[in-house]
Amino acid sequence: DTAVSQTPKYLVTQMGNDKSIKCEQNLGHDTMYWYKQDSKKFLKIMFSYNNKELIINETVPNRFSPKSPDKAHLNLHINSLELGDSAVYFCASSHPPRSRETQYFGPGTRLLVL
Amino acid sequence: AQSVSQHNHHVILSEAASLELGCNYSYGGTVNLFWYVQYPGQHLQLLLKYFSGDPLVKGIKGFEAEFIKSKFSFNLRKPSVQWSDTAEYFCAVTRDDYKLSFGAGTTVTVRA
């Protein structure tokens, strides 16, 4: 009964490929997020959806496209993968976005682009 | 310039030693402060958070943090660490929005 789950856990792929990462939460939260953690462990928010509506879209290449089919799922599709996309991608969820809400994180997807 | 600064990149200490990790933020006005921990191979978990009230906040696993408004700081402490405290520790801040801004993290290695 994992609260926030991501698949796959590891992803190794070639430059130029298109790949997707999936995230699901069973906490009943309305809001989901994608974060990128770089090689220096710095975490930065990429996107957030609230009730399937995009509410945060940070400066991210348009090769990255989030999709939220329902409140419990937020997937991340990446087109034309580049070496610099190698990172750990974390999904998170929370109750409706307010500044004091705790975000609950998934285990991360380690993406390596060769 | 990073808005949330964690002073120590890597801290190495022995079991039973005391731990203090620094965190400073550069935002004015009201802030909400969080410490998250990432154990090896695991996801981030909330250790503690501060919104208002008593500036000394107690969290899980014996951790506490003190908010000092005049110093724009929210330092994390634990009086006596264990080997299992080996992890990456992240300070994070929200302001009047809900975007978590993270510090660069501090790697803590506890030697048995």
Side-chain angles (χ1 to χ4, degrees), chain A residues 9 33 35 37 40-43 45 48 55-56 58 90 97-108 110, chain B residues 2 9 32 34 36 38 41-44 46 49 51-52 88 90 94-100 102-104 107:
Chain A
K9 195 170 180 180
Y33 310 80
Y35 286 85
Q37 185 179 45
K40 295 183 180 177
K41 304 251 174 137
F42 185 59
L43 269 158
I45 191 164
S48 177
I55 56 172
I56 296 176
E58 294 295 285
F90 286 98
R98 287 184 290 270
S99 59
R100 297 182 174 186
E101 286 297 336
T102 299
Q103 294 181 23
Y104 294 83
F105 285 79
R110 285 147 184 82
Chain B
Q2 206 163 318
H9 179 65
N32 306 291
F34 304 78
Y36 279 85
Q38 186 177 21
Q42 294 189 31
H43 60 281
L44 281 100
L46 183 71
K49 57 186 178 182
F51 302 144
S52 62
E88 193 81 22
F90 293 93
T94 62
R95 291 172 288 168
D96 54 359
D97 59 16
Y98 39 83
K99 295 182 192 177
L100 266 176
F102 282 90
T107 303

Side-chain angles (χ1 to χ4, degrees), chain A residues 48-96:
Chain A
S48 177
Y49 271 74
N50 182 54
N51 269 327
K52 301 194 294 175
E53 183 183 339
L54 183 65
I55 56 172
I56 296 176
N57 187 355
E58 294 295 285
T59 308
V60 175
N62 57 15
R63 297 181 295 104
F64 290 78
S65 53
K67 281 189 173 54
S68 181
D70 55 58
K71 287 195 311 182
H73 296 85
L74 180 62
N75 303 326
L76 183 65
H77 189 75
I78 315 171
N79 288 327
S80 302
L81 278 154
E82 299 178 358
L83 293 177
D85 297 332
S86 295
V88 183
Y89 292 84
F90 286 98
C91 178
S93 73
S94 73
H95 285 299

Side-chain angles (χ1 to χ4, degrees), chain B residues 11-81:
Chain B
V11 172
I12 303 171
L13 59 168
S14 300
E15 276 193 311
S18 64
L19 173 69
E20 179 159 359
L21 303 181
C23 173
N24 285 87
Y25 59 93
S26 58
Y27 306 113
T30 303
V31 291
N32 306 291
L33 299 150
F34 304 78
W35 275 98
Y36 279 85
V37 62
Q38 186 177 21
Y39 297 105
Q42 294 189 31
H43 60 281
L44 281 100
Q45 305 171 41
L46 183 71
L47 268 180
L48 47 80
K49 57 186 178 182
Y50 172 79
F51 302 144
S52 62
D54 188 344
L56 186 61
V57 181
K58 294 199 183 300
I60 60 171
K61 305 185 187 224
F63 284 91
E64 64 179 31
E66 185 175 12
F67 171 56
I68 304 180
K69 190 173 182 179
S70 60
K71 294 185 178 180
F72 296 86
S73 71
F74 189 55
N75 291 356
L76 181 71
R77 297 196 290 252
K78 185 169 183 177
S80 176
V81 295

